[in-house]
Amino acid sequence: LMSEEAPEVFDVTFETTTGDFTIRAVKSWAPPFVQRFWVLSRLRYMEGARFYRVDRVNASTSWVVQFGYRGEPAVDQCWDRLQTSNSTWSVHLPGNVRGTVAFSMDAVNATGTNPNCTADDYCASGFSTNIFINYADNT
């Protein structure tokens, strides 16, 4: 299962107490991210995951909502230790725009060794199981 190749496009539906939503994964937009999402979805890892973060631009405008921890600390910590690297893939179109999703990533000091770092002092490096849904442009 871990080595099973993700299809070019697939949908994963999430059932919540306030209604269902579907994430469509498009491999050409971000192959390493889609591969990780494929494996997590096939393992049913997100079942029972809670929304735990809602960031807002202001009181009436959401920016992102985040979920992805299973709620089993030993399992969650294992996946956090086995993050997937982003050193071989940068953000491509459509980017982190409204309606898209992305994995949350660790932040490290930029060292100049990752060609996909876009800031002088910050570099996103490795993504976990946490997914955020963009409610606004987050590029």
Side-chain angles (χ1 to χ4, degrees):
L1 180 64
M2 296 297 279
S3 61
E4 184 179 305
E5 192 70 25
E8 293 302 313
V9 177
F10 63 93
D11 294 338
V12 177
T13 299
F14 294 84
E15 298 173 2
T16 75
T17 57
T18 59
D20 300 350
F21 68 95
T22 300
I23 293 176
R24 171 161 286 167
V26 180
K27 194 173 185 178
S28 64
W29 290 357
F33 298 86
V34 168
Q35 183 61 37
R36 186 166 180 96
F37 185 60
W38 173 252
V39 169
L40 291 169
S41 66
R42 298 279 288 142
L43 291 171
R44 303 175 74 98
Y45 179 83
M46 300 289 180
E47 281 188 6
R50 305 277 190 245
F51 291 95
Y52 65 87
R53 174 183 173 211
V54 177
D55 279 348
R56 299 179 177 281
V57 173
N58 55 46
S60 63
T61 306
S62 295
W63 177 51
V64 297
V65 62
Q66 190 169 348
F67 69 100
Y69 279 122
R70 185 176 177 86
E72 298 176 40
V75 175
D76 292 334
Q77 289 168 6
C78 178
W79 278 95
D80 277 348
R81 282 191 305 273
L82 298 173
Q83 293 184 355
T84 303
S85 172
N86 74 325
S87 63
T88 61
W89 190 262
S90 61
V91 175
H92 287 63
L93 291 177
N96 287 328
V97 296
R98 179 178 169 79
T100 61
V101 298
F103 279 106
S104 177
M105 302 180 84
D106 275 347
V108 296
N109 290 332
T111 62
T113 59
N114 184 339
N116 299 318
C117 291
T118 57
D120 293 335
D121 61 346
Y122 166 86
C123 181
S125 176
F127 44 98
S128 67
T129 60
N130 293 275
I131 293 173
F132 60 88
I133 302 168
N134 292 299
Y135 279 96
D137 189 349
N138 189 17
T139 50

